[in-house]
Amino acid sequence: MTETTGKLYGLGIGPGDPELITLKAYRILQSVPVIAYPAMENGKVLARSIVADYLRPEQIEIPMPLPFSPTRSSQPYYDIAAEKIAAHLSEGRDVAVLCEGEPFLYGTFMYLFNRLSGKFTTEVVPGISSTMASASALGVPLTYRNDVLSIMPATLDAEVLRDRLAVADAAVIIKLGRHFAKVRDVLIELGQFDRALYIERATMPNQVIRAIADVDPAVVPYWALVMIPSQQKSVT
Amino acid sequence: MTETTGKLYGLGIGPGDPELITLKAYRILQSVPVIAYPAMENGKVLARSIVADYLRPEQIEIPMPLPFSPTRSSQPYYDIAAEKIAAHLSEGRDVAVLCEGEPFLYGTFMYLFNRLSGKFTTEVVPGISSTMASASALGVPLTYRNDVLSIMPATLDAEVLRDRLAVADAAVIIKLGRHFAKVRDVLIELGQFDRALYIERATMPNQVIRAIADVDPAVVPYWALVMIPSQQKSVT
């Protein structure tokens, strides 16, 4: 970490609405010479698209390919991305890695952080998670007073989902995709289905909110979640 | 909700660092004629202090007194605040209520939302919760992949804390204050004490990070939390 090396930023850029980036992330985004972002093999470069209007043509861009299939290991991809980023840092250029939502909450940045933060000065700038933005988008308060909130991925086994949801006062189930039918069945079994809310791509231009009973399990995207708000609805 | 009435905003202003407000909240904050914010009886007006540099002298300010003692009901205080805000809205003036962190996560705004959103057009702008900002401030990733994250207030009974923490892969225990010793004892019992992290007033100018073993239970503030990060520390 000599003075001549660059600084690594993990930049939370929020859930999708470009205006939901913080003043701090905006300032850093415009000041760094190099930006890096995940680029899925299927062509999706979501993080870049969120901040596209804020980028300057003279900035160096590092798209980081990541495997689309969940069955393939991401490790070699992160190794390659970390090497590319380290090369710029070693030559004294600051690098900002764009992170959808909050970098330290189920973020891809953490795999770069674990590879690079020991070698280069690193700062993480928090961002608004879609988990939190969904409550605002749905217009429903999530937790009151003594509530316990649980956030969990839909990829968990049905038994684990059931056990965790059974004791949560409020919950958010993320990364729905092809796991929707399993989640739906667990919610019905627990008697939580009627108060569950469904949203796709919260705050993005193509945001969709629909009654959970109307959701077709065959077409649920990865960026969809179910929110089970607190049953407290006090005005006190 | 006629066109002549004003719009109510619940404005998430983030965890404390004024730069961690979103571009959207900043824009609305500067454009509304009226702002309202909680003012504790002990003189603390934290929310206003976070955005003080962004306010304009011609804006009308509504400090909303709230009882300092947790044993007194807040209901009459919210009734009074809602009336004052409704008066401005009825006369066509937009009102932004400042909310520390995220408005729909354990926020005081929800009590105004439940009183006013049925009568006036209301928009909630999400903010960064201190729960999330603490992970960045501590420099430790919170959740990976299939982790279940639980967020809970330290005010819960020891038995409830123990049961919920026992099944969480990662957790954040908020609102510590005088409940620190109880939380500490539960963490020791569960074998989670050694990986627990402690932070006061995350991202504020007077932020404090100290080893949890060095914390004096007698002087823990309300705005302190314990974070138990995921034990996954994979680079894959």
Side-chain angles (χ1 to χ4, degrees):
Chain A
M1 299 195 195
T2 69
E3 281 181 33
T4 53
T5 59
K7 184 171 178 179
L8 174 64
Y9 293 98
L11 221 55
I13 57 170
D17 178 348
E19 236 195 334
L20 291 180
I21 190 174
T22 63
L23 301 186
K24 183 170 184 175
Y26 181 79
R27 170 177 60 78
I28 292 167
L29 182 63
Q30 298 220 309
S31 71
V32 293
V34 184
I35 63 161
Y37 45 81
M40 302 300 279
E41 283 181 337
N42 62 349
K44 293 272 172 63
V45 284
L46 181 60
R48 188 190 187 285
S49 71
I50 292 172
V51 298
D53 285 349
Y54 305 146
L55 300 178
R56 292 178 293 105
E58 64 271 29
Q59 286 176 307
I60 299 166
E61 299 193 17
I62 307 178
M64 304 184 294
L66 289 179
F68 183 57
S69 163
T71 60
R72 293 223 311 281
S73 168
S74 305
Q75 177 157 10
Y77 294 82
Y78 286 117
D79 286 341
I80 292 169
E83 270 182 46
K84 285 186 188 172
I85 290 168
H88 285 286
L89 294 168
S90 297
E91 290 169 17
R93 286 185 287 278
D94 294 347
V95 179
V97 178
L98 307 184
C99 312
E100 296 141 25
E102 155 59 34
F104 274 169
L105 192 73
Y106 307 103
T108 54
F109 176 71
M110 306 192 303
Y111 304 102
L112 295 169
F113 178 84
N114 290 341
R115 283 168 168 79
L116 294 168
S117 64
K119 298 174 201 156
F120 301 97
T121 304
T122 304
E123 181 176 357
V124 177
V125 179
I128 292 178
S129 162
S130 59
T131 313
M132 299 295 159
S134 293
S136 303
L138 289 160
V140 178
L142 185 50
T143 52
Y144 292 84
R145 297 173 181 276
N146 285 350
D147 286 330
V148 176
L149 169 67
S150 284
I151 300 172
M152 64 196 79
T155 47
L156 292 168
D157 289 341
E159 300 73 45
V160 180
L161 285 172
R162 187 172 50 232
D163 291 350
R164 300 296 179 273
L165 288 169
V167 295
D169 299 304
V172 184
I173 308 165
I174 61 175
K175 307 182 191 180
L176 282 177
R178 62 194 172 81
H179 302 280
F180 178 82
K182 172 183 63 184
V183 170
R184 179 198 58 200
D185 292 348
V186 169
L187 292 173
I188 290 171
E189 185 185 340
L190 291 172
Q192 296 182 354
F193 189 70
D194 291 343
R195 66 180 168 111
L197 302 164
Y198 175 89
I199 186 169
E200 298 175 5
R201 305 185 186 86
T203 84
M204 296 185 198
N206 53 353
Q207 170 184 298
V208 172
I209 294 174
R210 60 167 58 95
I212 191 167
D214 296 338
V215 173
D216 175 359
V219 293
V220 173
Y222 177 85
W223 294 109
L225 61 78
V226 165
M227 186 177 121
I228 299 139
S230 167
Q231 286 186 293
Q232 297 193 48
K233 197 198 152 95
S234 166
V235 292
T236 62
Chain B
M1 299 195 196
T2 69
E3 283 181 31
T4 54
T5 59
K7 183 171 179 180
L8 173 64
Y9 293 97
L11 222 55
I13 57 171
D17 178 348
E19 237 195 332
L20 290 179
I21 189 174
T22 63
L23 302 185
K24 183 170 183 174
Y26 181 80
R27 170 176 61 80
I28 292 167
L29 182 63
Q30 298 219 309
S31 71
V32 293
V34 184
I35 62 162
Y37 45 82
M40 302 301 281
E41 280 181 338
N42 62 349
K44 294 270 171 64
V45 282
L46 180 60
R48 187 191 187 282
S49 71
I50 292 173
V51 298
D53 286 348
Y54 306 146
L55 300 178
R56 292 179 292 105
E58 64 270 31
Q59 285 177 307
I60 299 166
E61 298 194 17
I62 308 177
M64 304 184 294
L66 290 178
F68 183 58
S69 163
T71 59
R72 293 224 312 281
S73 168
S74 305
Q75 176 156 7
Y77 294 81
Y78 286 117
D79 286 341
I80 292 169
E83 268 182 47
K84 285 186 187 170
I85 291 168
H88 286 284
L89 293 169
S90 297
E91 289 169 19
R93 286 184 288 279
D94 294 347
V95 179
V97 179
L98 307 184
C99 312
E100 296 140 27
E102 155 59 35
F104 274 169
L105 192 73
Y106 305 105
T108 53
F109 176 70
M110 306 192 303
Y111 304 102
L112 295 168
F113 179 84
N114 290 342
R115 284 169 167 79
L116 294 168
S117 64
K119 299 175 200 154
F120 300 96
T121 304
T122 304
E123 181 176 358
V124 177
V125 179
I128 292 178
S129 162
S130 60
T131 313
M132 299 296 159
S134 293
S136 302
L138 289 160
V140 178
L142 185 51
T143 52
Y144 292 84
R145 297 171 182 277
N146 285 350
D147 286 331
V148 176
L149 168 67
S150 284
I151 300 172
M152 63 195 78
T155 47
L156 292 167
D157 290 342
E159 300 74 42
V160 180
L161 286 172
R162 187 170 51 231
D163 291 349
R164 299 296 179 274
L165 288 170
V167 295
D169 300 302
V172 184
I173 309 165
I174 61 174
K175 307 181 190 178
L176 283 177
R178 63 194 172 80
H179 303 280
F180 177 83
K182 173 183 62 182
V183 170
R184 180 197 58 199
D185 293 346
V186 169
L187 292 174
I188 291 172
E189 185 184 340
L190 292 171
Q192 297 182 352
F193 189 68
D194 291 341
R195 65 179 170 115
L197 301 163
Y198 175 89
I199 186 169
E200 297 175 3
R201 304 183 187 87
T203 84
M204 295 186 199
N206 52 353
Q207 170 183 299
V208 172
I209 294 175
R210 62 168 55 96
I212 191 166
D214 296 339
V215 173
D216 176 359
V219 292
V220 173
Y222 177 84
W223 293 109
L225 62 79
V226 165
M227 186 177 121
I228 298 139
S230 167
Q231 287 185 290
Q232 297 192 46
K233 198 198 155 94
S234 166
V235 292
T236 64

